[in-house]
Amino acid sequence: MRLMPSVRGALNGLLLGLNTLLAFTLMVPPALVKLLVPADRVRAGCDRALNALAGGWVAVNNAWIAGACPTPWQVRGVEGLNPRGWYLVSSNHQSWVDILVLQRIFHGLIPFLKFFLKRELIWVPVIGLAWWALDFPFMKRGRGTGRGDLATTRRSCEKFKRVPTAVINFVEGTRFTAAKHAAQNSSYRHLLEPRAGGLGVALATMGGQFEAMLDVTIVYPEGTPSFWALLCGNVQAVTVDVRQRAIPPHLLGTSPSGDKARRAHTRKWIEAQWQDKDRLIQERLAARRGVRK
């Protein structure tokens, strides 16, 4: 007998919580060794163990998502990716569901995704400590971002050189809403204005190591879902387009905060991608409306 959506949502939420608690508990020993033993070889081994545990956490999540949302998602452009490579990932951002979508489509194809996070999120119970152990870069948002904060972010990125890593940045800096879009008077129909600060730090720190940028466009043709909707299995139509983009050599460097020309070039590069992304979102939504007719 098919479960009621609210019951299914509660069960999936419980499974997600237990999965997170188990993964965090298993992460504690390698995280402590990593903290206490300064040897690079030991810390690299701990990083591999922590990333493997995080990958297991994603695999369990993917299993309950597949059970809750059996309708196949439309995913394009993930062929030929390297699970042992280094990637810079950029995506539009509409919902917390985006994170699980990205983890699901890239699982086993590229290394575990490391997100740029707001510095305040380190205090989130349990998962904040897991993010710290996995070397997620924490950034201060807004105009108050200073050199000290950028230096902290760069130290996090430096650690990613030890093991294959995929670093993701939500360039909009926040989730898209109609209210935020109107307040910004955004130049784009379906996107907020891009912010290139965190992405510039990643390029300056380890840009030469990235094999490519993965430019991701997520579209929910039935409307942006809530996290509860995903838990309940009410997320059916999802389209994801992935484009591999070569990173221009002139965007690489060592001083993203002090080189105005490099910042300007980075912003121009991202704005061109955002124009393409905006058109693609419109095409996907229009195609869906055509199917309904």
Side-chain angles (χ1 to χ4, degrees):
M1 184 173 61
R2 186 172 177 82
L3 295 173
M4 294 176 56
S6 58
V7 175
R8 185 165 58 247
L11 291 175
N12 285 332
L14 178 61
L15 179 58
L16 173 60
L18 292 174
N19 183 32
T20 302
L21 184 60
L22 175 62
F24 172 76
T25 301
L26 295 174
M27 283 181 183
V28 170
L32 288 175
V33 173
K34 179 179 173 180
L35 177 66
L36 298 174
V37 181
D40 287 343
R41 183 173 298 180
V42 173
R43 288 186 172 179
C46 292
D47 284 336
R48 285 191 288 270
L50 289 164
N51 288 334
L53 290 168
W57 177 79
V58 170
V60 173
N61 290 338
N62 287 350
W64 66 255
I65 292 173
C69 307
T71 302
W73 295 353
Q74 295 183 8
V75 181
R76 307 173 181 86
V78 295
E79 301 80 13
L81 297 176
N82 181 7
R84 297 292 297 169
W86 277 262
Y87 291 100
L88 178 61
V89 183
S90 174
S91 175
N92 60 317
H93 191 21
Q94 305 156 84
S95 165
W96 283 108
V97 176
D98 299 341
I99 296 173
L100 291 181
V101 168
L102 289 164
Q103 289 175 336
R104 185 182 182 193
I105 68 162
F106 283 130
H107 182 62
L109 300 179
I110 64 174
F112 179 75
L113 290 168
K114 304 291 179 71
F115 292 82
F116 282 83
L117 299 169
K118 296 178 182 179
R119 191 166 59 183
E120 294 79 9
L121 292 178
I122 197 171
W123 304 111
V124 174
V126 181
I127 197 168
L129 291 175
W131 286 331
W132 169 84
L134 289 164
D135 291 322
F136 279 46
F138 291 92
M139 290 192 70
K140 182 178 178 181
R141 299 292 189 187
R143 295 183 179 181
T145 303
R147 292 184 179 180
D149 190 73
L150 287 174
T152 299
T153 307
R154 290 186 64 186
R155 283 195 294 272
S156 294
C157 290
E158 287 283 354
K159 297 174 184 177
F160 298 155
K161 294 181 178 180
R162 292 197 294 253
V163 293
T165 304
V167 181
I168 181 167
N169 184 221
F170 289 120
V171 182
E172 292 162 294
T174 185
R175 285 167 287 169
F176 178 97
T177 66
K180 293 174 184 176
H181 184 263
Q184 283 190 355
N185 191 23
S186 176
S187 307
Y188 309 95
R189 186 170 182 177
H190 303 286
L191 300 164
L192 300 179
E193 296 290 337
R195 302 176 180 179
L199 189 142
V201 172
L203 288 174
T205 305
M206 52 182 300
Q209 198 161 0
F210 290 129
E211 297 184 19
M213 168 187 269
L214 302 182
D215 179 13
V216 183
T217 304
I218 303 173
V219 179
Y220 303 106
E222 306 295 336
T224 302
S226 66
F227 195 76
W228 176 245
L230 179 67
L231 291 173
C232 294
N234 294 331
V235 178
Q236 301 303 325
V238 180
T239 70
V240 186
D241 289 89
V242 181
R243 297 182 178 182
Q244 295 193 48
R245 297 184 183 270
I247 299 174
H250 65 272
L251 299 185
L252 310 180
T254 59
S255 181
S257 61
D259 190 331
K260 292 183 179 180
R262 185 176 295 117
R263 291 204 308 272
H265 287 310
T266 301
R267 173 166 291 279
K268 185 176 180 180
W269 186 54
I270 294 301
E271 287 175 347
Q273 293 178 30
W274 240 233
Q275 291 170 4
D276 290 344
K277 190 182 298 290
D278 206 40
R279 286 193 293 267
L280 180 58
I281 293 173
Q282 182 61 27
E283 290 173 6
R284 295 289 177 249
L285 294 175
R288 185 66 179 184
R289 286 193 292 268
V291 170
R292 287 178 179 174
K293 293 178 181 179

